[in-house]
Amino acid sequence: MNRILASNRIALRALRVNRLRSALTMLGIIIGVAAVIAMVGVGAGATRRIQEQIQSIGSNLIIVQPGSLSSNGVRLGAGAVVTLTEDDAKAIADECPSVALAAPTVRGGVQVVNGNNNWATNAQGVTPDYLTIRDYTLQSGQLFTTQDVDAAAKSAVLGETVAQNLFGDSDPTGQAIIIKNVPFTVVGVLTPKGQSPTGQDQDDVILLPISTATQKVLGANKANAKAVGAIMVQAIGPQAMGAAQQEIEALLRERHRILPGLDDDFAIRNLTEVFEAQETSAEVMSILLGAIASVSLIVGGIGIMNIMLVSVTERTREIGLRQAVGAKTRDILLQFLVEAVTLSLLGGIIGIGVGLTTSLLISHFAEWSTEVSPLSILMAFAFSALVGVFFGYYPARKAAFLNPIEALRYE
């Protein structure tokens, strides 16, 4: 222990003698550690943002949409013909064991008016189960009920974007709005969800009872009054997603009388798989950014080796004198190794501060979410110490095995 403390004192004294050179040597490590922390923070922030967007869509979510049809040899695009109904949604909820909830939806563009203010948005006709599936909560007011759906009540729940554009900062609950010349009462305002993973504003929406939407706002389909644009399905758990898809497919093929070998007239989308792929991509990006930034740490380590070799050359006579008065090989080795590690550790400490500051600046000016974890800081600091040991060992070994006589003769 005494030997290590003595080596530390000698190393610090040697570094103080050449302060500018020591500072420039540490610069490579400082930049390396700061780059690793900042880049890993950027990657982690992107991953976290995708996770939040996935959660905002809803948990264990499956979307059933109308598929494509062939008519007289002509293949119609997906959604060209309405093939799903409210009865399909009820059957999915009742007859599929892996399904927790199923909610039919219809949607369309509308112009909403409140006094002198108006706003173009999307109106969605839904059932109360839709709100549960999408994990919607309210910041004010209440949701409409099943009784409102049965009675085709003229009740509306506004998204935050719509509420801001129509009512500003005042609470719209209980206020009247006009949708396609039909008066509605605002019963609640949704808690903001922000953008979806596809970049859409999830708060730019008005939710209406599905019966009200089809009968009084969007209009019912002439071929089938119970036709819907999509069915939102929630599986009973993450592990049941595959089973739920298979059950839904089998049930709808039976209900729609689709013969074996013929294509489905519906499409089933598991959004969790799509978003998990995006999340994996973001994690890979985070690793790549960290790996690229780590290259600067290697460059900093080469700088330390270069300066330590110069230091050994400059202090050859000093090394010879220490050997002449009894310093052992391991003492010389330890002295120069401690100097290299000290340079790395000091650079690492300063680099952590620079990296944290850089992450904050990126968040502020670039408006890019960053997330710096204690683990990334610890790993960057530990890596900087390893760089000092790795690149400092060769110069230290060279110093330790100098010939004492040749070292004393060195000018």
Side-chain angles (χ1 to χ4, degrees), residues 134-215:
R134 290 293 312 277
D135 292 333
Y136 273 118
T137 58
L138 291 178
Q139 65 178 7
S140 66
Q142 62 185 9
L143 301 173
F144 48 77
T145 64
T146 303
Q147 288 73 24
D148 293 327
V149 175
D150 294 338
K154 291 183 285 187
S155 302
V157 178
L158 307 185
E160 174 69 12
T161 300
V162 179
Q164 283 288 333
N165 282 281
L166 292 180
F167 295 93
D169 295 330
S170 61
D171 185 4
T173 305
Q175 301 297 314
I177 58 175
I178 305 295
I179 306 176
K180 288 194 173 180
N181 296 321
V182 179
F184 280 81
T185 300
V186 178
V187 296
V189 178
L190 298 170
T191 302
K193 277 181 172 285
Q195 285 190 346
S196 71
T198 57
Q200 295 178 332
D201 184 0
Q202 298 183 89
D203 303 318
D204 191 5
V205 67
I206 295 179
L207 301 183
L208 309 173
I210 189 169
S211 54
T212 310
T214 54
Q215 295 173 23

Side-chain angles (χ1 to χ4, degrees), residues 4 20 34 64 94 147 153 173 200 210 221 229 235 253 261 264 266 271 276 294 297 311-312 329 332 349:
I4 295 175
L20 180 59
V64 185
D94 293 341
Q147 288 73 24
T173 305
Q200 295 178 332
I210 189 169
N221 186 278
R253 286 185 66 89
D264 297 335
F266 56 88
L271 296 186
E276 283 179 352
S294 298
L297 269 176
S311 180
V312 169
T329 300
I332 305 298
I349 293 171

Side-chain angles (χ1 to χ4, degrees), residues 237-385:
Q239 305 303 321
M241 296 287 282
Q245 285 184 252
Q246 294 175 2
E247 292 167 4
I248 294 168
E249 181 180 3
L251 176 63
L252 291 181
R253 286 185 66 89
E254 179 184 346
R255 286 181 57 82
H256 295 184
R257 296 181 174 85
I258 300 174
L259 298 176
L262 296 181
D263 293 337
D264 297 335
D265 62 356
F266 56 88
I268 301 175
R269 296 180 62 197
N270 181 348
L271 296 186
T272 303
E273 294 178 354
V274 176
F275 297 148
E276 283 179 352
Q278 292 183 0
E279 185 179 356
T280 301
S281 298
E283 290 174 352
V284 171
M285 181 187 73
S286 179
I287 294 172
L288 288 176
L289 287 174
I292 293 170
S294 298
V295 173
S296 56
L297 269 176
I298 304 298
V299 174
I302 294 172
I304 288 178
M305 178 188 288
N306 182 45
I307 292 301
M308 292 305 299
L309 286 172
V310 172
S311 180
V312 169
T313 302
E314 290 178 346
R315 296 159 62 188
T316 299
R317 189 172 181 81
E318 173 194 332
I319 295 168
L321 288 171
R322 292 196 65 199
Q323 290 174 327
V325 297
K328 298 180 179 179
T329 300
R330 64 173 178 269
D331 296 324
I332 305 298
L333 179 68
L334 184 61
Q335 175 191 343
F336 282 88
L337 192 58
V338 166
E339 285 187 29
V341 173
T342 301
L343 281 170
S344 289
L345 292 180
L346 288 175
I349 293 171
I350 298 172
I352 289 172
V354 175
L356 292 174
T357 303
T358 303
S359 297
L360 292 174
L361 292 175
I362 291 173
S363 296
H364 180 72
F365 291 105
E367 296 182 354
W368 181 278
S369 176
T370 59
E371 185 174 305
V372 180
S373 66
L375 179 61
S376 65
I377 294 175
L378 181 62
M379 290 180 62
F381 183 71
F383 192 40
S384 69

Side-chain angles (χ1 to χ4, degrees), residues 81 83 124 140 285 290 301 314 327 345 353 401 409:
V81 178
T83 58
Q124 277 192 264
S140 66
M285 181 187 73
E314 290 178 346
L345 292 180
F401 286 94
R409 288 177 179 175

